[in-house]
Amino acid sequence: MREFDYRRAHDVAGAVALLGADPDARFLGGGTNLVDLMKTGVERPGRLVDVTDLPLDRIERTADGTLRIGATVTNSDLAVHPEIRHRFPALTQAVLAGASGQLRNMATVGGNLLQRTRCAYFTDVTSACNKRDPGSGCPAIHGEHRNHAILGASEHCVAVHPSDMGVALAAFDARVTYETADGTGELPLADFYLPVGDTPHQETALPPGALITGVTLPPAPVAAHSRYRKVRERASYAFAIGSVAAALDVRDGVVHDVRLAFGAVASRPWRAHAAEAALTGGPATADAFAAAADAELAAAAPLPDNAYKVTLIRNLVVAVLSELAEEATR
Ligand code: SF4
């Protein structure tokens, strides 16, 4: 094990100062991804700044109904919070679909957004990988890519983001707040992850040294009628091979409001704007749901071994939206 400096921060400003401008320093939350990557040598920080003592472990509701979720709220606490369960059930389902109970007790909201891809070449330091070692190549494109991206990828990287939580947050227009030495900032989740392009190693729009302090969820009545459906290769404790977060408001058979996001198909949670536009104001039927999925997936560019994801996501969209529409008639 490579030696590193360990510091424990007690307030946000102190944490930001401890990290400073050191590109080899990392914030440490639950450590459920970072520590694994340190063991394999993918991450080799010179300093860890432990942020688990920071007062960022609360979920608060503001006067207008916005929820402010602190960055160190654990996945377990997020999933069972009454406001989340009742107003954003797809978020509770997404969190509970991720990892194991033990990991959810450790993992934090901020860390979940920053977790790294599980591409096998990325986690194997003996392999080339543009994300880990810029310019070295992407062996996944002509190698093992069964679980890689079908949307928004590039010739430089086809990895997917592994978060379940992020998919539901993307559907509900979450915003990420952060702190730097220059003050407070905020990014819509839609702008938080950078396009892959030719810089897959640059994953987020966070300024250097920024500490994620929380996630805000604006009020979204449609979210009360939402669902997260995850497909994986075994029943539990596995990453998605495809997932859908959906919310639907149907009135007199017509789609009044809809939210749709896909997981495990791109380098970021994929908000399905084209599908939402195709559905809004139209009939809430299985044919319309399938057509909307096709509209979104028209941009898919699958590799030889992951074309199954196009069909998988299409079927998930139809199934989940049909269930929500049927429930709306009860
Ligand atoms: Fe690396 Fe991305 Fe290629 Fe995987 S898909 S080997 S993470 S560059």
Side-chain angles (χ1 to χ4, degrees):
M1 173 69 89
R2 185 169 176 258
E3 287 193 5
F4 57 87
D5 184 30
Y6 171 87
R7 306 291 181 93
R8 184 179 284 268
H10 300 289
D11 56 61
V12 169
V16 171
L18 279 171
L19 195 90
D22 183 353
D24 289 332
R26 296 283 185 275
F27 292 119
L28 175 68
T32 54
N33 186 213
L34 177 58
V35 172
D36 280 351
L37 294 175
M38 288 172 65
K39 289 176 184 171
T40 55
V42 174
E43 287 276 7
R44 299 165 65 84
R47 171 179 295 176
L48 290 182
V49 178
D50 189 329
V51 297
T52 52
D53 275 357
L54 301 186
L56 300 173
D57 59 348
R58 291 177 210 114
I59 299 174
E60 295 167 333
R61 178 183 174 131
T62 65
D64 72 351
T66 294
L67 292 184
R68 288 199 180 130
I69 304 165
T72 63
V73 169
T74 65
N75 290 9
S76 295
D77 287 346
L78 178 67
V80 301
H81 193 278
E83 294 266 356
I84 302 295
R85 288 175 56 204
H86 294 121
R87 293 176 56 198
F88 300 92
L91 179 53
T92 285
Q93 293 162 13
V95 173
L96 293 178
S100 64
Q102 294 93 331
L103 286 169
R104 291 195 295 270
N105 288 341
M106 293 291 292
T108 62
V109 168
N112 189 293
L113 295 177
L114 291 176
Q115 64 180 303
R116 312 297 301 278
T117 183
R118 267 50 174 200
C119 172
Y121 301 103
F122 173 76
T123 53
D124 174 5
V125 293
T126 66
S127 292
C129 171
N130 284 328
K131 188 182 280 295
R132 176 172 33 74
D133 183 12
S136 62
C138 176
I141 291 174
H142 298 292
E144 175 54 54
H145 55 243
R146 235 184 89 71
N147 195 24
H148 286 61
I150 58 171
L151 288 164
S154 82
E155 60 184 324
H156 301 283
C157 180
V158 290
V160 295
H161 196 275
S163 175
D164 294 298
M165 175 192 298
V167 182
L169 291 176
F172 301 139
D173 296 320
R175 303 176 70 86
V176 181
T177 55
Y178 61 84
E179 191 80 15
T180 70
D182 297 327
T184 301
E186 187 178 59
L187 283 166
L189 192 64
D191 300 331
F192 181 76
Y193 297 104
L194 296 172
V196 181
D198 58 1
T199 54
H201 59 291
Q202 293 174 355
E203 296 179 350
T204 77
L206 280 175
L211 170 69
I212 293 178
T213 52
V215 171
T216 58
L217 271 177
V222 67
H225 312 284
S226 65
R227 183 153 302 160
Y228 184 73
R229 180 73 45 82
K230 172 178 180 176
V231 177
R232 45 192 159 182
E233 290 183 331
R234 57 176 187 249
S236 69
Y237 193 31
F239 292 99
I241 58 174
S243 68
V244 165
L248 188 66
D249 179 358
V250 178
R251 301 182 188 179
D252 299 325
V254 173
V255 176
H256 180 73
D257 195 1
V258 60
R259 305 290 178 88
L260 205 52
F262 306 156
V265 296
S267 62
R268 56 188 164 90
W270 188 269
R271 179 73 178 268
H273 289 293
E276 290 178 358
L279 285 167
T280 304
T285 62
D287 285 348
F289 301 151
D294 289 342
E296 190 70 40
L297 293 164
L303 295 161
D305 296 335
N306 69 0
Y308 75 94
K309 287 194 178 192
V310 176
T311 309
L312 174 67
I313 293 295
R314 185 180 194 269
N315 290 346
L316 278 176
V317 168
V318 174
V320 172
L321 288 178
S322 296
E323 289 171 12
L324 290 169
E326 201 265 326
E327 288 166 17
T329 64
R330 289 179 196 160

